[in-house]
Amino acid sequence: MQAARPLPNYLIQRYQGWKATTYSENSAWYRRLATEGQRPRAMVISCCDSRVHVTSIFGADQGEFFIHRNIANLVPPYEPDGDHHGTSAAVEYAVTALNVSHLIVLGHSSCGGVQGCLDMCQGKAPQLEEKTSFVGRWMDILRPGYERVKDSHAEADQARALEKESVLVSLSNLMTFPFVKEKVESSALTLHGLWTDIGEGSLEYYDTKSGTYQPV
Amino acid sequence: MQAARPLPNYLIQRYQGWKATTYSENSAWYRRLATEGQRPRAMVISCCDSRVHVTSIFGADQGEFFIHRNIANLVPPYEPDGDHHGTSAAVEYAVTALNVSHLIVLGHSSCGGVQGCLDMCQGKAPQLEEKTSFVGRWMDILRPGYERVKDSHAEADQARALEKESVLVSLSNLMTFPFVKEKVESSALTLHGLWTDIGEGSLEYYDTKSGTYQPV
Amino acid sequence: MQAARPLPNYLIQRYQGWKATTYSENSAWYRRLATEGQRPRAMVISCCDSRVHVTSIFGADQGEFFIHRNIANLVPPYEPDGDHHGTSAAVEYAVTALNVSHLIVLGHSSCGGVQGCLDMCQGKAPQLEEKTSFVGRWMDILRPGYERVKDSHAEADQARALEKESVLVSLSNLMTFPFVKEKVESSALTLHGLWTDIGEGSLEYYDTKSGTYQPV
Amino acid sequence: MQAARPLPNYLIQRYQGWKATTYSENSAWYRRLATEGQRPRAMVISCCDSRVHVTSIFGADQGEFFIHRNIANLVPPYEPDGDHHGTSAAVEYAVTALNVSHLIVLGHSSCGGVQGCLDMCQGKAPQLEEKTSFVGRWMDILRPGYERVKDSHAEADQARALEKESVLVSLSNLMTFPFVKEKVESSALTLHGLWTDIGEGSLEYYDTKSGTYQPV
């Protein structure tokens, strides 16, 4: 590996700040976590977006959340075909090895991935249609969501509606995994759909009864 | 989507705490981030492990890092075959759309995914060899790392050595992406390999010259 | 311009050191900052004093803080009379063109400007009373602060009290700028008053509720 | 002062990092600086721009540089009219009270203030012409520079040329201060004009002999 470079100084300084404060104050707990292993209560699937850190929103400390982050917080359908499936692997590990109690999917406003999907489905982003576009092929997962959104919402509202659909598509796909379905049905695992507005700091959850998102 | 449930109370309470403090103190900035879009300086690829939060280690605030988290911080090789590739999509978006300046891969001690790979490669985990094992098929990405580790390290040291190899495998695979290679070669992007010890709070970076990890 | 001289060697050497290390490690980011423009999160108004570098105290990297430094971190009242007002221009640019989210005024211990104001107000520095004294006329801005301090503090404590008043005078004057007041009232901008002890490395913030400075 | 708010958490964390590392390693020196007072070798006049930190470029540690930062690193002409003059006060204090040996003016590329002056002089920014525009009235100081640049440079090159003129205008105006002129003529003080390119990290100094900027 010839290309690697040392860490930029500003990150070294910040790391040393963390070491001297947060780590120093919690080293006993961190040592126990290292020795005894992690025992997270929930898995969170959220977006890579730099403006949405679930560790901040829920004040998640070391050891609490097993967090998978990908573009647009998507879970693909169950497809055990022997290929690499990073998201499915993370879900499998959390549910079958770590036995998390909650599986939370967190969507958010101004999602670039969702906007790309919208543009693609509306024929405005031909480059995303190409076979070689990883973002395009990843956002294919959300196409069924677009089908539900395109007629029921005015064009100005479709991006937000599709962001919220991205959470529901993921939850539906999660239920296609046998080990998820089984645990949900035996109440050993609960699923939760959330959506947050970056600017307003608001949080909504998907309410099954009404079939709508409600403020937390 | 019938399976979703409301958010557990303990998380509602924490969210309200965040809203009343962190959000409230920074709402002007969060609103700007929502309006003007994100402009992260770095992408970080780290593990889902609940004990390793890069947002904490580097004091990363909203807007700074574009973060992808998967099991064992792995990047698969470039494979534009039209299938879903969540990690490749995240890398593509960060490098070509967001133009991040740094791409950091962060490994860690006591990594369950790496341990699974080691067990699998040593013939101790037949269930991970099955085609239907998402974790096994995901950890296949790390097999070339095992080949380098198995003869050069005593068995007791192989887990840690393989954790560090997982970072190097990812960095090497990143260089198989044309858009990464091109930017690295033109100095528009730098790659960085890091490994942290959960219990000790230490941080090491991969030093190209010596071909070893060095303390930060 | 006949008087300019080349840079002293010791500074050339330091610059070369920076170029070979910090710049080299961050050139991709610096190029982006040059191309895309700055987007600082906060403006800081602090003293010219060589012992107080806010870039160090807050680990501020390139692009983060818009920094105005003048003697005693003072902001004069809003006075749009057509004359040159460097501080007012800096505030106007930060708030209306850059849309910073925070405006921080940072005072400090052993401030020579504040001591000069104290001496002048106590009749001990006639030279500062002269119309031609730029320092004296600049420190006139702080006279209202002296009025509040002179009776409430013993003489030995007046310098420190006046240093802390210099921050409050600036914050009050900031609120006389219509574009500051409007943004503060709409929560698009927050004001913060800080004071640091050079020798102890301590930091205090002005707490509105108690009307006193509190340790950070 | 009712408007002040506590410091945002991310800055508290960074401050604590500085306290635990940089301060802790240098506390003996900082205590001496507090007790014995500052004795800076140079005064630097640079821009407020968040992308140009002279403390970084010259690795300036606590106690070395007395730093004044304003928009476009401008010094107005000597005008002892009894009004507030923040820049003149800083120069007076550095030269007559601190007896600095060097006075360095540092300009930079992509300067928003200089661009504003250019727009204003070319009739493209009527709002900057208004009496109430602090930025416009501050940039009036640079108008003589525009007069020199407008005919000698193609329009595409005028911004950069004017950035470099901003340094020369300041140096010329500095020589109108009697206490500066006298010390320069007796070799007790040297003036230096610098200009840095943010993206390239390059540094140029004004060479009196050739009347041009030369790479350092």
Side-chain angles (χ1 to χ4, degrees), chain C:
Chain C
M1 183 54 229
Q2 290 309 306
R5 297 270 295 277
L7 201 59
N9 268 325
Y10 83 105
L11 291 179
I12 292 178
Q13 187 175 346
R14 288 194 186 185
Y15 159 69
Q16 300 289 12
W18 171 81
K19 188 77 192 286
T21 55
T22 304
Y23 174 76
S24 163
E25 290 157 13
N26 297 283
S27 60
W29 176 241
Y30 292 177
R31 288 212 176 89
R32 275 188 64 194
L33 282 175
T35 312
E36 302 177 5
Q38 63 178 328
R39 194 168 71 170
R41 182 165 175 177
M43 175 183 190
V44 178
I45 297 171
S46 75
C47 188
C48 301
D49 195 298
S50 64
R51 299 165 294 178
V52 184
H53 296 324
V54 71
T55 43
S56 174
I57 294 175
F58 290 126
D61 204 44
Q62 250 75 347
E64 294 193 298
F65 289 168
F66 185 83
I67 301 174
H68 174 58
R69 294 177 67 165
N70 64 36
I71 292 206
N73 38 273
L74 288 174
V75 177
Y78 180 70
E79 210 170 356
D81 55 11
D83 286 342
H84 307 318
H85 293 282
T87 299
S88 304
V91 171
E92 181 184 272
Y93 191 76
V95 172
T96 68
L98 297 175
N99 289 309
V100 296
S101 302
H102 307 298
L103 216 165
I104 298 167
V105 180
L106 172 63
H108 68 95
S109 63
S110 310
C111 182
V114 168
Q115 184 62 51
C117 180
L118 192 62
D119 292 345
M120 180 172 74
C121 292
Q122 291 173 340
K124 299 175 186 166
Q127 78 284 5
L128 288 174
E129 300 278 10
E130 286 173 28
K131 188 183 171 188
T132 55
S133 166
F134 290 116
V135 172
R137 300 297 62 69
W138 180 248
M139 296 310 303
D140 282 344
I141 299 171
L142 185 52
R143 284 187 189 266
Y146 176 71
E147 293 305 309
R148 285 194 291 272
V149 159
K150 69 175 179 187
D151 295 326
S152 60
H153 289 76
E155 204 163 321
D157 300 333
Q158 289 184 359
R160 179 149 298 194
L162 194 53
E163 286 161 7
K164 294 185 175 179
E165 275 297 325
S166 79
V167 174
L168 302 184
V169 163
S170 290
L171 291 174
S172 290
N173 285 345
L174 279 169
M175 289 296 280
T176 65
F177 288 73
F179 45 82
V180 171
K181 187 165 188 285
E182 183 190 344
K183 287 210 168 182
V184 167
E185 287 175 352
S186 69
S187 296
L189 176 69
T190 54
L191 305 186
H192 308 268
L194 300 176
W195 177 88
T196 181
D197 183 305
I198 290 172
E200 296 308 313
S202 59
L203 187 66
E204 303 182 3
Y205 74 97
Y206 182 71
D207 176 50
T208 303
K209 280 182 203 148
S210 64
T212 58
Y213 280 83
Q214 298 292 333
V216 160

Side-chain angles (χ1 to χ4, degrees), chain D residues 175-187:
Chain D
M175 289 296 279
T176 65
F177 287 72
F179 46 82
V180 172
K181 187 165 188 287
E182 183 191 344
K183 288 210 168 183
V184 168
E185 288 174 350
S186 68
S187 296

Side-chain angles (χ1 to χ4, degrees), chain A residues 15 23 50 63-64 68-69 199 208, chain B residues 4 14 23 50 63 68-69 199 201:
Chain A
Y15 157 69
Y23 174 77
S50 66
E64 296 194 296
H68 173 59
R69 294 178 68 165
T208 304
Chain B
R14 288 194 186 184
Y23 174 78
S50 64
H68 174 58
R69 294 178 69 166

Side-chain angles (χ1 to χ4, degrees), chain B residues 186-198:
Chain B
S186 69
S187 296
L189 176 70
T190 54
L191 305 187
H192 308 268
L194 301 176
W195 177 87
T196 182
D197 184 304
I198 291 171

